[in-house]
Amino acid sequence: MLLSRIRSALVSASCIALAGCAAVGTEPNPVDPWEGTNRKIYAFNDTLDKAVIRPITELYAFMVPQPIRTCIFNAFTNMTEPWVGFNSLLQERGHDAINTWGRFLFNTTMGIGGCIDVASMNGQPRIPNDFGITLGVWGVPSGPYLVLPILGPSTVRDGIGDIANLYGGQLVTIGMINDVPVRNTLWGLEFVSRREALLPVSKMVDNTALDPYSFVRDAYLQRRQAMVRGNLIPTTDNLPEYEDDDFGDDVSEPASTSSEEKSK
Amino acid sequence: MSKSPTFCLARWQHLWLGRMALLVILTAAVWVTTAQAAPDPKAPPQVFVQQVADQLLEVLKKDKSALQQNLGRINEIVDEYVMPYVNFEKTTRLAAGKHWRQATDKQKKELSEAFRNTLVRTYSGALTRVDSGTHMQVLPFRGDENANDVVVQTHVIESTNAQPVRVDYRLEKTPNGWKIYDLNVENVWLIQNYRNQFSDEISRSGIDGLIAALNKRNSSN
């Protein structure tokens, strides 16, 4: 019931998005039917990032010493942990939920409001999770790849999940602050802090990717796929299958499609 | 009165022999530890990966210019201390997928060489953040040790960040021991991530075009 409703919502969402869609070059990638539009938004994001966001972030990294930056990043991350743990619970990953909430309690108290990640230091690293993953675990397919303005790589499913994440992770935390300038300053700082944590990744993409758009897309889809499957012990079942001896028609497709079908 | 000169001599000899023996033992011990420092591909996979990583980090931490984030120097170190344990031909073959068969031997060689440089650059880029506090921890081996294709999971812990970075290595058993052929950083497998880029470039401008594109990327910096 719920599933079919979500599916029909997805279909209507995709129709709206399709309307603004351009035809793409040679072989359309089945996971990325909107590549034409996506590439345009990617180019826009990249220009904006290089012209404005990255310089601000680099200035921040230059002016604020590393321990303070780490503290700020940890504190923002800590604030979303109750919501992250709640998602683990929705996914019936009770063990992860307890560990995440335990981390929240430990870091909020012993780690001075989440500033110091004492839980990681004591062998309980963060377990990233969100509502897009929850939808995936419930069986909602990822839908086409989607590049969102400013926010970057996503899928139709993850985009919908982000609306819930906005409520659960932001509006009930920083969003509760009534003082508008304080609230907006905190949100701005959080954005810069999260972008700063990704600086090494963008540097790597710039230095090694043949096609940065496709590199980011495939990395994003792979990572999300793995998160939906859960951080399982790698065995032959969940490892990428590259074998080059028997070529079907779909060999060149990313594993994303095949494992998505399996989970249905 | 009871100590005869011969006794003294004997005692002196005894001491001297003892020192010599100690010296021999110490030399042997030093030799054994240096011999152990070179990674042994025939060791169990998780031991082998730990050895490769330990040796690499040790070299990086001692190297002044590497610590100053000199990418050229880090590339050299990766080339010398990591690449001997990597089967980059297999990595390239799997990334090229079905197009590999269409390539001539010359193209295969050039493509592997070009992608090898990309691999070195990718790995080196990650190593620019190594400092004296960086260390690597191999997680307990969870697979079948008798398999020919295994994954070793590791955590890289940086001094600036308590949250470990998850890095997995995929290895295959060869007659000469284990060889690494794929790498996973935070759930992203390297080969998988180059497959679409390879096939797009090949369908646009052929295998030679791909080789040219990789070489162009590698020379820019």
Side-chain angles (χ1 to χ4, degrees), chain B residues 43-115:
Chain B
Q46 72 278 22
V47 176
F48 167 59
V49 169
Q50 182 83 64
Q51 288 169 343
V52 173
D54 285 349
Q55 186 189 38
L56 175 70
L57 287 176
E58 198 183 327
V59 172
L60 281 171
K61 286 176 189 175
K62 276 187 196 153
D63 196 293
K64 281 226 167 64
S65 62
L67 283 181
Q68 281 155 11
Q69 311 201 338
N70 176 346
L71 204 59
R73 178 68 193 128
I74 299 175
N75 281 340
E76 283 171 26
I77 292 172
V78 169
D79 219 32
E80 190 179 340
Y81 292 97
V82 180
M83 292 318 274
Y85 311 108
V86 177
N87 183 354
F88 62 92
E89 266 144 354
K90 182 173 175 128
T91 310
T92 315
R93 173 165 55 90
L94 296 179
K98 61 183 173 187
H99 303 286
W100 186 253
R101 284 183 182 171
Q102 301 153 9
T104 63
D105 285 348
K106 184 171 168 281
Q107 285 175 324
K108 285 177 183 171
K109 200 164 167 288
E110 285 176 3
L111 183 58
S112 303
E113 202 48 46
F115 196 42

Side-chain angles (χ1 to χ4, degrees), chain A residues 14-31:
Chain A
S14 49
C15 289
I16 297 161
L18 261 176
C21 206
V24 206
T26 49
E27 284 171 55
N29 187 327
V31 295

Side-chain angles (χ1 to χ4, degrees), chain A residues 6-49:
Chain A
I6 294 171
R7 285 237 171 100
S8 62
L10 282 179
V11 169
S12 51
S14 49
C15 289
I16 297 161
L18 261 176
C21 206
V24 206
T26 49
E27 284 171 55
N29 187 327
V31 295
D32 190 8
W34 305 333
E35 190 171 339
T37 314
N38 280 341
R39 275 192 189 270
K40 281 179 198 150
I41 303 172
Y42 182 89
F44 167 78
N45 285 349
D46 197 46
T47 313
L48 184 72
D49 186 57

Side-chain angles (χ1 to χ4, degrees), chain A residues 202-209, chain B residues 71 118 121 125 217-218 220-221:
Chain A
S202 357
K203 211 170 150 192
M204 203 226 1
V205 173
D206 290 346
N207 280 337
T208 60
Chain B
L71 204 59
T118 307
R121 286 162 58 89
R217 243 281 144 265
N218 292 335
S220 70
N221 203 3

Side-chain angles (χ1 to χ4, degrees), chain B residues 50 53-54 57 135-140 153-157 164 167:
Chain B
Q50 182 83 64
D54 285 349
L57 287 176
H135 65 279
M136 186 260 223
Q137 177 193 4
V138 174
L139 304 189
Q153 295 177 285
T154 72
H155 277 166
V156 178
I157 297 133
V167 182

Side-chain angles (χ1 to χ4, degrees), chain A residues 120 126 206-211 214-215 218-219 222-223 231 233 240 242 244-245 247 251 254-255, chain B residues 93 98 101 121-122 129 142 160 162-163 166 170 182 186-187 189 191-197 217:
Chain A
S120 278
R126 194 158 60 85
D206 290 346
N207 280 337
T208 60
L210 277 176
D211 174 4
S214 146
F215 188 102
D218 293 351
Q222 259 201 76
R223 181 170 156 74
N231 285 324
I233 305 150
Y242 303 122
D244 38 356
D245 297 326
F247 288 118
V251 182
Chain B
R93 173 165 55 90
K98 61 183 173 187
R101 284 183 182 171
R121 286 162 58 89
T122 308
R129 283 148 73 198
R142 314 282 281 275
T160 54
Q163 176 82 11
R166 203 185 122 187
R170 194 161 175 190
D182 200 3
E186 289 290 326
N187 282 323
W189 285 101
I191 294 177
Q192 177 103 41
N193 228 51
Y194 273 96
R195 290 199 123 199
N196 280 324
Q197 295 180 82
R217 243 281 144 265

Side-chain angles (χ1 to χ4, degrees), chain A residues 26-93:
Chain A
T26 49
E27 284 171 55
N29 187 327
V31 295
D32 190 8
W34 305 333
E35 190 171 339
T37 314
N38 280 341
R39 275 192 189 270
K40 281 179 198 150
I41 303 172
Y42 182 89
F44 167 78
N45 285 349
D46 197 46
T47 313
L48 184 72
D49 186 57
K50 285 191 173 127
V52 184
I53 301 171
R54 220 186 283 193
I56 293 174
T57 310
E58 276 161 356
L59 185 70
Y60 168 74
F62 176 73
M63 285 170 59
V64 182
Q66 178 72 60
I68 298 175
R69 273 180 284 147
T70 305
C71 166
I72 290 171
F73 181 81
N74 284 345
F76 281 122
T77 313
N78 185 58
M79 231 178 278
T80 59
E81 295 264 55
W83 170 247
V84 171
F86 182 62
N87 276 285
S88 293
L89 194 71
L90 292 177
Q91 296 158 21
E92 293 177 48
R93 291 172 182 164

